Amino acid sequence: MSSFIIIAYLCLLVAVINGFNINNSPMIRSNVINKENNQMRSGAGGMTMMPIGVPKVAYKMPGGRGGEWVDIYNRLTRERIIFVGSEIDDELANQIIGVLLYLDNENPNQPIYMYINCPGGSVISGLAIYDTMQHIRSEVVTVNLGLAASMASFLLCAGSRGRRYALPHSRVMIHQPMGGAQGQAEDIRVEASQIMRIRNNIVKLYSVMSGQTTDQVTLDLDRDNFMSAEEALEYGLIDEIVQPNDEKIKQLALPPPSQAPELFRSASGPIDEDYQFGKINVPKGRNSRPQSGGSYRR
């Protein structure tokens, strides 16, 4: 009896050493695969749903012989279009700052288009993007696509004067900075004083960019303050609402790349080489900006 127990114990030990897993048995593995396949057939009529990831589009490098497939956000970046579509943190801020500096160095006379659909994020990271927007020579055109909340609303308002747009059903939310501190009493006091300093700085910048008084901005930032596109326009956070029948919105369509090789070209006919897609038609260069005496105040 004892020898039988010893043999069973040795068999179990060998199975563990060899990485035996009951889930790797043919029957269990078959059931798991069938379950995953059934989950992917979740569409109407048993349609198989497949994750496509980030869409890729055809692009031909200037002077290149062949084309390549690049993700759509990199393709739009080459057209001076930046998307702010996730929470603002240090990593996203560094990427946006790098793109802003590169595009400004490439051609400072062409505007940069920043499309915003963002819930906000870090105040320090957002201020780094704001300082870069003010530092570069290129105009920065900001467009609110969905929701520009918290720090994203600040970046929306920080666009070049007269070139801050919003779509009709977009929303804006402003509020005061949030933070927390723990540790020794003196450390908490220092953190609290820094938060108040940042809040006062944000209030002053909002006041300059929107034309509202600092007292009014302080009152409006006290709690989450949601605004429609019309209310944001009246408040001074944006300069214009792009209507569906406006010529500006018609230029948001994305045609096939004009420099793509024949393999990627549309079969419908030649492509207009002068067509500029994804861009709002605004004057280019800082010399065309409205004269405001060096101030954003209305």
Side-chain angles (χ1 to χ4, degrees):
M1 185 67 179
S2 59
S3 61
F4 176 79
I5 296 176
I6 293 175
I7 294 174
Y9 176 77
L10 290 176
C11 292
L12 179 62
L13 182 62
V14 171
V16 172
I17 293 175
N18 292 332
F20 177 81
N21 189 345
I22 191 172
N23 290 332
N24 288 331
S25 63
M27 181 179 296
I28 298 297
R29 185 166 61 250
S30 176
N31 292 336
V32 171
I33 294 175
N34 291 334
K35 183 178 180 181
E36 291 177 350
N37 291 336
N38 291 333
Q39 290 176 350
M40 295 188 68
R41 296 190 184 95
S42 58
M47 180 184 298
T48 301
M49 307 301 293
M50 297 182 62
I52 61 174
V54 179
K56 293 184 179 295
V57 295
Y59 180 73
K60 180 181 179 182
M61 295 292 293
R65 295 184 177 181
E68 60 176 328
W69 292 96
V70 299
D71 69 76
I72 192 168
Y73 296 110
N74 283 336
R75 176 68 182 95
L76 293 177
T77 299
R78 300 180 188 185
E79 298 293 332
R80 305 178 71 86
I81 297 174
I82 301 174
F83 271 91
V84 183
S86 60
E87 182 178 353
I88 300 172
D89 54 14
D90 291 339
E91 181 179 359
L92 179 64
N94 291 336
Q95 293 175 1
I96 293 177
I97 290 172
V99 174
L100 288 173
L101 294 176
Y102 172 78
L103 294 178
D104 179 66
N105 181 72
E106 185 180 49
N107 190 347
N109 296 320
Q110 292 287 336
I112 300 173
Y113 301 82
M114 182 178 293
Y115 289 80
I116 301 174
N117 184 19
C118 174
S122 170
V123 176
I124 302 302
S125 301
L127 288 175
I129 299 175
Y130 167 81
D131 288 338
T132 306
M133 292 169 62
Q134 307 306 312
H135 167 71
I136 62 178
R137 294 167 292 174
S138 300
E139 295 280 355
V140 180
V141 181
T142 54
V143 183
N144 183 15
L145 295 177
L147 173 65
S150 188
M151 203 61 205
S153 67
F154 184 84
L155 295 179
L156 172 66
C157 189
S160 299
R161 183 67 170 178
R163 293 159 175 81
R164 303 171 299 179
Y165 299 92
L167 298 187
H169 297 96
S170 61
R171 295 191 303 161
V172 177
M173 191 273 282
I174 59 176
H175 63 187
Q176 61 180 320
M178 296 182 295
Q182 61 181 0
Q184 300 180 1
E186 186 63 21
D187 294 334
I188 295 176
R189 186 191 67 80
V190 172
E191 289 292 336
S193 65
Q194 289 300 312
I195 292 176
M196 294 303 298
R197 180 181 179 183
I198 291 175
R199 192 197 74 161
N200 294 335
N201 189 26
I202 292 293
V203 167
K204 292 178 182 178
L205 292 175
Y206 265 122
S207 175
V208 170
M209 294 185 296
S210 66
Q212 301 289 334
T213 63
T214 55
D215 293 338
Q216 184 63 43
V217 173
T218 302
L219 179 63
D220 295 333
L221 292 182
D222 188 52
R223 291 292 183 268
D224 291 354
N225 191 352
F226 287 88
M227 302 181 189
S228 64
E230 292 78 8
E231 292 170 337
L233 177 62
E234 182 179 356
Y235 196 85
L237 299 177
I238 61 174
D239 300 306
E240 185 178 345
I241 300 175
V242 182
Q243 299 297 336
N245 58 351
D246 199 319
E247 289 296 328
K248 299 183 181 68
I249 198 68
K250 295 179 181 179
Q251 297 185 16
L252 296 178
L254 186 66
S258 58
Q259 300 298 325
E262 294 297 331
L263 177 63
F264 301 133
R265 285 185 179 272
S266 172
S268 58
I271 300 172
D272 186 1
E273 299 291 341
D274 296 330
Y275 190 91
Q276 298 294 322
F277 65 90
K279 297 181 179 180
I280 294 177
N281 186 19
V282 296
K284 300 176 181 178
R286 287 194 176 271
N287 294 331
S288 61
R289 71 185 306 174
Q291 299 296 326
S292 58
S295 173
Y296 283 103
R297 203 180 282 273
R298 285 189 175 182

